[in-house]
Amino acid sequence: MQNLKRIGCVLLSAFVLTCAVPQYHVEATTRAQLEAKRKSLSKDTDKALKAIKNLESQKLSVQEEMDAVDKAMSSLQAEMDAAQADLESINAALEKSRKDLEEATTKRDQQFDLLGKRLKYLQQKGSSGYLEILLEAEGFQDLFLRMHYVNDIMAYDRELLDELQAIQKTIQEKTEQIQEEQKAQKELVALYNEKYASMEKVLDEKKARIAAYKKDMDKYQQLIDANQKADQEVLNQLARQQSRGSSRHQVSMQKDNTVYPTGNGSMGWPVPSRGASSSSLSSGFVQRRNPVTGRRESHSGYDIPASYGAAIVAAESGTVTYAGWMNGYGNTVMISHGNGTSTLYGHNSSLTVSKGQSVQRGQTIAKCGSTGMSTGNHCHFSVLQNGAYVNPESYLGVPNINR
């Protein structure tokens, strides 16, 4: 019986231990999973950012090609307009030449008809016709004149007919020449139109490529947005865990005697090399256009430009809860100050503290840089309350700016 009780106690103890240990293990595993999740999100986001930059580069290259095609098309359009104007002039000249040929042909036909009638008349009259003309003469002089007139008329008719035929031939040759010019000009205009249509096809293909790049960039941006949202949710969970754990390890909030630039708030200024004022900010806690992606979004803190390698210090005493690469922020430090309040320092070139380390207000925690989604050396400073970003203005005592 005693053995049964002893065995029962052992089994009960084992049951209690198996219940208690997993509870602690789950907490620890959950934090590890959360940290791993943030790293995974950061990695995916970095890949997406690189893909966007690559697509942006390709898009820019295609856009430059489009600009070159546009320029060539503009030049070709000018040539087409000139060729079309020349064709219209040739068409007008051809129309005039055809009218001149028609008139010349009509005059030649009329003269030929007149000469034919005269020849027919003389042929019908034969020698009597000449005799009538001669017998009707009133004297030798009149006879001589009549004979001379007959010869002159016949000669004039022949000369005029020859002249009209020559004019007709010249106009005919000119018309044929203009027709050849018209044919060549039509071929030139057709060639220009074909070349222009080919360029339009190339331009449409490039527009389609740019549209495809933009579509892919939008997809990657959606992934980044989703990652940032998921990262914020993970951050909130970490903050809640930090808040629950603050009762087990209270963090000293006493200020040290270090003198460095500060505003009028409860926290110190994180960039000693710059004055604690709004004029030192390049961006505030506002809705703005992201300088990297170009999209409008909420900016989660203050951007404070500084030289590369400048000291970044803790705004308040606390415990480092994160020290490493973070999604979008590059090399990042997060410090818990208790009561659910944390601060974040992003885009650093290097870090001088590690996770779990206790730091004092004004202690150097990192060096300024431009890692992550950044366009220049600066410190991105954020304040989080229970995992949510809040305006740093009251904490630093430095007024916000609206850019």
Side-chain angles (χ1 to χ4, degrees):
M1 189 67 178
Q2 290 292 331
N3 290 335
L4 289 175
K5 287 183 178 181
R6 191 177 292 111
I7 292 172
C9 288
V10 170
L11 291 175
L12 180 60
S13 299
F15 177 77
V16 171
L17 287 173
T18 55
C19 289
V21 172
Q23 185 175 5
Y24 173 78
H25 181 67
V26 168
E27 176 73 8
T29 302
T30 300
R31 287 183 61 81
Q33 288 176 342
L34 291 174
E35 295 291 353
K37 180 63 175 176
R38 297 201 73 198
K39 289 182 180 179
S40 175
L41 289 170
S42 177
K43 186 177 180 181
D44 290 344
T45 298
D46 286 341
K47 287 181 180 179
L49 284 171
K50 288 178 181 178
I52 287 178
K53 287 181 180 179
N54 183 45
L55 288 169
E56 186 64 44
S57 177
Q58 294 182 58
K59 179 183 171 185
L60 180 61
S61 177
V62 175
Q63 186 62 58
E64 289 173 351
E65 293 174 8
M66 283 181 61
D67 293 341
V69 174
D70 273 333
K71 187 176 180 180
M73 288 179 71
S74 297
S75 177
L76 182 62
Q77 183 64 59
E79 294 179 17
M80 286 175 62
D81 293 341
Q84 187 62 41
D86 289 343
L87 179 59
E88 291 174 0
S89 297
I90 291 172
N91 289 338
L94 180 60
E95 184 63 25
K96 184 178 183 303
S97 183
R98 283 172 175 168
K99 288 182 179 179
D100 292 344
L101 179 61
E102 185 178 344
E103 291 176 1
T105 301
T106 300
K107 287 181 180 180
R108 187 212 63 174
D109 291 344
Q110 290 175 347
Q111 184 62 32
F112 187 80
D113 185 58
L114 179 60
L115 180 60
K117 287 179 179 179
R118 285 175 180 164
L119 290 173
K120 184 177 180 182
Y121 173 78
L122 293 175
Q123 184 181 10
Q124 289 175 346
K125 292 293 185 179
S127 59
S128 63
Y130 287 102
L131 287 175
E132 287 180 4
I133 294 174
L134 297 177
L135 291 175
E136 289 177 357
E138 296 180 354
F140 180 77
Q141 187 176 3
D142 185 34
L143 175 63
F144 179 78
L145 290 173
R146 284 174 179 267
M147 291 178 65
H148 184 70
Y149 287 154
V150 169
N151 288 329
D152 285 348
I153 290 171
M154 295 296 291
Y156 173 76
D157 283 342
R158 285 195 299 272
E159 182 179 349
L160 183 59
L161 182 60
D162 290 342
E163 182 181 347
L164 290 174
Q165 286 178 331
I167 291 173
Q168 181 196 30
K169 182 179 179 182
T170 300
I171 295 175
Q172 179 67 39
E173 291 175 351
K174 183 179 179 182
T175 301
E176 291 174 355
Q177 180 183 352
I178 294 175
Q179 285 176 332
E180 289 296 323
E181 291 178 3
Q182 182 194 46
K183 181 181 177 182
Q185 196 66 20
K186 282 183 176 179
E187 290 176 354
L188 179 61
V189 171
L191 182 63
Y192 278 141
N193 285 327
E194 183 180 350
K195 191 173 181 180
Y196 193 86
S198 177
M199 286 185 174
E200 281 188 322
K201 185 178 180 181
V202 170
L203 198 62
D204 288 341
E205 289 174 354
K206 293 187 183 301
K207 286 179 179 178
R209 284 174 61 187
I210 285 182
Y213 289 151
K214 188 177 183 303
K215 186 176 181 180
D216 289 342
M217 288 168 69
D218 288 342
K219 287 181 179 179
Y220 281 120
Q221 187 58 53
Q222 290 173 7
L223 173 62
I224 291 172
D225 293 342
N227 283 356
Q228 289 177 340
K229 184 177 180 181
D231 185 70
Q232 182 60 54
E233 291 175 357
V234 174
L235 194 61
N236 292 343
Q237 292 181 50
L238 285 170
R240 286 194 291 271
Q241 288 188 0
Q242 292 166 11
S243 179
R244 289 195 299 269
S246 64
S247 60
R248 294 193 297 268
H249 49 82
Q250 291 295 325
V251 178
S252 173
M253 299 291 288
Q254 294 180 350
K255 301 177 177 61
D256 60 21
N257 296 321
T258 304
V259 177
Y260 64 97
T262 183
N264 298 319
S266 59
M267 291 183 177
W269 185 248
V271 186
S273 62
R274 296 297 302 271
S277 68
S278 298
S279 60
S280 294
L281 304 179
S282 61
S283 186
F285 188 78
V286 292
Q287 284 283 332
R288 66 164 194 177
R289 188 174 297 280
N290 189 302
V292 176
T293 66
R295 294 168 62 93
R296 289 200 64 80
E297 59 185 32
S298 296
H299 187 235
S300 61
Y302 281 3
D303 281 350
I304 310 167
S307 59
Y308 181 85
I312 306 299
V313 303
E316 187 56 85
S317 300
T319 300
V320 177
T321 57
Y322 190 92
W325 189 269
M326 183 179 289
N327 181 29
Y329 293 126
N331 289 326
T332 303
V333 173
M334 285 189 69
I335 302 173
S336 173
H337 308 291
N339 298 321
T341 303
S342 299
T343 51
L344 179 149
Y345 312 76
H347 305 304
N348 304 289
S349 61
S350 62
L351 308 180
T352 61
V353 294
S354 57
K355 182 180 177 182
Q357 182 178 339
S358 294
V359 294
Q360 299 297 313
R361 175 177 172 138
Q363 179 180 336
T364 298
I365 57 173
K367 300 293 184 179
C368 185
S370 184
T371 56
M373 290 179 62
S374 171
T375 57
N377 296 318
H378 73 286
C379 171
H380 174 91
F381 176 78
S382 289
V383 178
L384 299 94
Q385 192 64 48
N386 296 322
Y389 292 108
V390 294
N391 193 339
E393 181 172 347
S394 61
Y395 293 86
L396 294 178
V398 173
N400 191 18
I401 60 174
N402 57 4
R403 68 174 184 274

